[in-house]
Amino acid sequence: MITGSTKLYAIVADPIAQVKTPEVLNSYFAKQNMDAVLVPVHVDVNGLAAVFTAFRSMKNLGGVIVTVPHKTVAAQLCDDLGPAGRAIGSVNVIRRMPDGSLLGDTFDGAGFVSGLCRQGHDPKGKRALLVGSGGAAGAIAFSLAQAGVASLTIANRTRAKAQDIVDRVAAVFPQVTLLVGAADPTGHDLVINATSLGMQASDPLPLDVSRLTPGMVVAEIIMKPEQTPLLLAAQDKGCFVHYGKHMLEQQVNLIAQFMLDTD
Ligand SMILES: NC(=O)c1ccc[n+]([C@@H]2O[C@H](COP(=O)([O-])OP(=O)(O)OC[C@H]3O[C@@H](n4cnc5c(N)ncnc54)[C@H](OP(=O)(O)O)[C@@H]3O)[C@@H](O)[C@H]2O)c1
């Protein structure tokens, strides 16, 4: 039941009809017996600044989830950023502070690392290969460095984007060996596909699977299909496989904690 005292949360996206967050978070609110509701807000890039101005004035607004295509522009519109959001220049969640200011951060990377750890694959001390340099990959690179990987190689079709992530992460974690390299798993313990390759049946493989060896952990962040051609190839080679759903499962908790300011 929505009442006059219900706390308001929103998700901004364009398009919006495909988002699943309203179902997930409204059922979370119900389970926690919270007087809160999350609603979709369909806004395009041109309207985002005006909507953020309105958010600052909305005293019963708790927070906002940010998704495609707004993650980078939203980071620029926030009044303050958490460490991952600042380093990567991207946010996927915002908390409205009591003074009306907007604090943004990203939990793509923290969700991924938390999912890995919960499946028994702590990345600490591991040599990681990350393929892809989009929004999700940047956040994952930050969180892998934060989690203490020994080294991180980033490979991407557009090499300049991989270099940009290396530079941003190196500025915060100078102790981690970071390099731009090829999508070749040789010499790595943890191999991650953070490209969108694998969503379509016709996609090429994101990396050279002939170089996978038994015992490597091969992780996807793609959720559909759950079993991608990369994971099937990795299983054949005797690797541990890690599914995209684990990242999302952990992100929901982290985002809710940040937006609701609970722990
Ligand atoms: N599990 C989760 O919770 C979760 C969370 C966020 C995202 N995701 C998934 O992660 C994937 C990436 O999301 P994103 O937001 O990072 O996307 P994005 O910013 O659009 O980045 C896409 C990445 O894929 C690469 N790529 C796309 N087509 C390619 C091709 N034909 N050949 C080689 N590389 C190609 C891009 O390379 P270029 O830089 O060269 O274009 C870029 O590195 C999506 O499948 C998304 O659904 C999952």
Side-chain angles (χ1 to χ4, degrees), residues 181-224:
D184 176 354
T186 309
H188 296 91
D189 316 297
L190 170 62
V191 175
I192 303 143
N193 175 34
T195 72
S196 39
L197 294 177
M199 293 176 82
Q200 309 296 330
S202 57
D203 285 345
L205 286 162
L207 52 92
D208 184 354
V209 296
S210 72
R211 304 291 181 97
L212 292 171
T213 52
M216 286 178 175
V217 175
V218 178
E220 272 291 4
I221 68 166
I222 287 171
M223 287 167 292
K224 267 191 190 165

Side-chain angles (χ1 to χ4, degrees), residues 68 71 108 132-137 156-158 161 194-197 199 204 221-223 244-245 247-248 251:
V68 180
K71 291 182 181 182
D108 276 337
S133 295
N156 193 45
R157 175 178 61 178
T158 310
K161 285 168 67 181
T195 72
S196 39
L197 294 177
M199 293 176 82
I221 68 166
I222 287 171
M223 287 167 292
K245 66 180 179 187
M247 172 174 171
L248 185 69
Q251 266 210 81

